[in-house]
Amino acid sequence: MCITCGCDEPEANHGNPKHITLQQLKDAAQAAEVDINQLKKNIDEGLKKYAGAQ
Amino acid sequence: MATGSIWSQRPVVAGRWTLKDVVQGKPFGHPSHPPFVHFPSALLPSALVFDVVSRPDADLTLTRAAFYNIALGLGIAVFAAITGLVDYLPMVGGSRKKIIGTRHLIAQVCGLSLFTLSLLVRSFDFDATQTPLTAVLLAAAGAVVLSVGNYFGGTLVYRQGMRVSVEL
């Protein structure tokens, strides 16, 4: 969905590289050698710790 | 076109396109909503032009042209509505896209309703050489509201990039 904007289009970048697509997350998971569930957990923890997310 | 190539790589359920994917135009590599929206956007305001001209220059051709423009515009709007709803409904609630999409939806429904009422009013006197004033006013209001709705639709595409994807 861009996995971030709520558009329900996981591979659409909306013409702007700042949007994060599902493929980018899969690539990031592969680079980090974690599965997608662990990736989600890591991002969640990171956002809570460094960006004030609840 | 790059848009198509990215769309064709999109994940599909169980290795095949879902009905939602097909209605959205994904197997064709192009969003399905845009090809439909141009017809009501052009036909309905054009009817208003014929209506206005028919007031000082009474002519059955003008009133008939306006009638058929509205009828055809509303007919094609059904397809625009279906393809638009299939794009709209899965959006995540509270997202900016859904908020703008809701405004677009409300305005289009109101605008199309006004044109439907206008069509109904003029259908009572199908052989009139001048469009009834009530029908003209309803069409004028409908054209204004549709324009507002089109503005929100344009914001979704040109600002928010809805259904836009390119190789970066």
Side-chain angles (χ1 to χ4, degrees):
Chain A
M1 329 205 187
C2 102
I3 204 88
T4 46
C5 82
C7 63
D8 190 47
E9 279 298 312
E11 298 303 344
N13 54 33
H14 308 307
N16 185 339
K18 290 180 179 175
H19 289 288
I20 300 170
T21 66
L22 179 60
Q23 188 59 51
Q24 286 174 311
L25 287 184
K26 286 179 178 174
D27 291 343
Q30 192 175 25
E33 298 180 351
V34 296
D35 63 21
I36 205 76
N37 289 316
Q38 186 62 46
L39 184 82
K40 180 187 169 193
K41 186 179 174 187
N42 294 348
I43 291 173
D44 193 44
E45 290 297 321
L47 288 176
K48 283 179 184 168
K49 192 172 179 182
Y50 299 111
Q54 300 298 309
Chain B
M1 195 169 120
T3 302
S5 65
I6 285 181
W7 274 44
S8 63
Q9 294 163 14
R10 186 179 183 279
V12 293
V13 177
R16 60 181 183 180
W17 299 108
T18 62
L19 178 61
K20 172 175 163 278
D21 291 331
V22 173
V23 175
Q24 286 183 311
K26 288 179 179 145
F28 315 107
H30 193 285
S32 57
H33 189 54
F36 291 114
V37 302
H38 295 96
F39 291 96
S41 295
L43 289 166
L44 297 174
S46 297
L48 178 62
V49 174
F50 291 131
D51 285 341
V52 170
V53 175
S54 81
R55 297 296 298 176
D57 186 15
D59 187 335
L60 184 62
T61 307
L62 292 170
T63 54
R64 287 281 170 86
F67 185 93
Y68 291 127
N69 265 28
I70 294 177
L72 188 59
L74 290 175
I76 298 176
V78 171
F79 295 96
I82 291 169
T83 52
L85 277 174
V86 172
D87 282 346
Y88 168 78
L89 291 174
M91 288 181 189
V92 178
S95 66
R96 185 71 184 150
K97 280 190 172 68
K98 187 120 190 179
I99 292 168
I100 297 172
T102 302
R103 292 173 183 166
H104 174 59
L105 170 69
I106 291 170
Q108 301 305 69
V109 167
C110 291
L112 293 173
S113 299
L114 287 164
F115 271 103
T116 303
L117 284 174
S118 177
L119 187 71
L120 190 66
V121 168
R122 67 187 72 210
S123 69
F124 291 129
D125 191 3
F126 189 59
D127 293 325
T129 54
Q130 283 184 312
T131 305
L133 185 60
T134 309
V136 179
L137 293 175
L138 284 167
V144 170
V145 176
L146 270 188
S147 297
V148 173
N150 289 343
Y151 167 79
F152 288 124
T155 302
L156 265 180
V157 176
Y158 296 111
R159 184 177 174 85
Q160 292 284 317
M162 187 67 194
R163 294 290 170 264
V164 174
S165 196
V166 293
E167 302 284 1
L168 295 170

